[in-house]
Amino acid sequence: MVIEDCDKIDIARILIERIDGVFMQARVSTLALANAVLERWATDAPEKGEGRCQIRIIFEDGFQYHSHIGITRSQKRISLAKLVRQQLVALTSPGIRRHRKKADSVTVSLPLLPLPLSAEAMLARYDI
């Protein structure tokens, strides 16, 4: 599949929810705002172990990316874009997949595109 050199499809919204027993939810429109929310929540993560968050990124064309991530108190800088790129590469690269955390799960919903798309094609098409 050849992706033409054109503008990338923007994020419509990002929904973030703590799923580790702490009730916190956020709805933001940019990766920078999502990073700020996750960094703020990391300060409330358990002293030992990690807090768990569910992430749902919805793009303007309906593409949806669902993931779970862990946050720890020791994290000072969080880059959701970097994490998503790493997860996409792991999802489409069998050699890397075995190194993912057991609790990580990723779901990709592509209503308008033929499956499967490679991580490179997704990253080329969507503004992540």
Side-chain angles (χ1 to χ4, degrees):
M1 172 181 232
V2 176
I3 303 289
E4 293 180 18
D5 190 24
C6 60
D7 291 337
K8 292 185 177 187
I9 298 169
D10 290 327
I11 293 171
R13 65 189 166 279
I14 303 170
L15 308 171
I16 310 167
E17 182 178 0
R18 288 282 296 263
I19 55 171
D20 56 5
V22 177
F23 181 76
M24 292 182 173
Q25 294 180 325
R27 178 182 172 161
V28 296
S29 57
T30 68
L31 289 166
L33 291 172
N35 294 341
V37 167
L38 291 168
E39 288 169 5
R40 188 171 57 247
W41 290 0
T43 62
D44 295 329
E47 286 188 35
K48 294 183 180 186
E50 64 182 13
R52 299 293 299 162
C53 295
Q54 177 174 287
I55 307 289
R56 185 170 160 201
I57 303 173
I58 303 166
F59 291 84
E60 290 180 350
D61 71 346
F63 170 76
Q64 293 188 29
Y65 182 86
H66 303 258
S67 178
H68 293 101
I69 66 166
I71 54 174
T72 63
R73 278 193 187 198
S74 63
Q75 287 178 289
K76 301 296 181 216
R77 306 279 293 151
I78 296 175
S79 173
L80 184 56
K82 181 179 177 181
L83 175 76
V84 169
R85 287 190 296 269
Q86 289 172 342
Q87 288 178 336
L88 282 172
V89 169
L91 185 66
T92 59
S93 302
I96 297 172
R97 186 177 297 172
R98 60 186 151 84
H99 297 294
R100 282 194 359 219
K101 288 182 183 179
K102 200 174 210 177
D104 284 351
S105 65
V106 175
T107 305
V108 177
S109 172
L110 301 165
L112 304 175
L113 301 172
L115 290 175
L117 275 181
S118 68
E120 294 82 20
M122 287 183 214
L123 293 170
R125 184 174 182 101
Y126 295 96
D127 191 14
I128 300 173

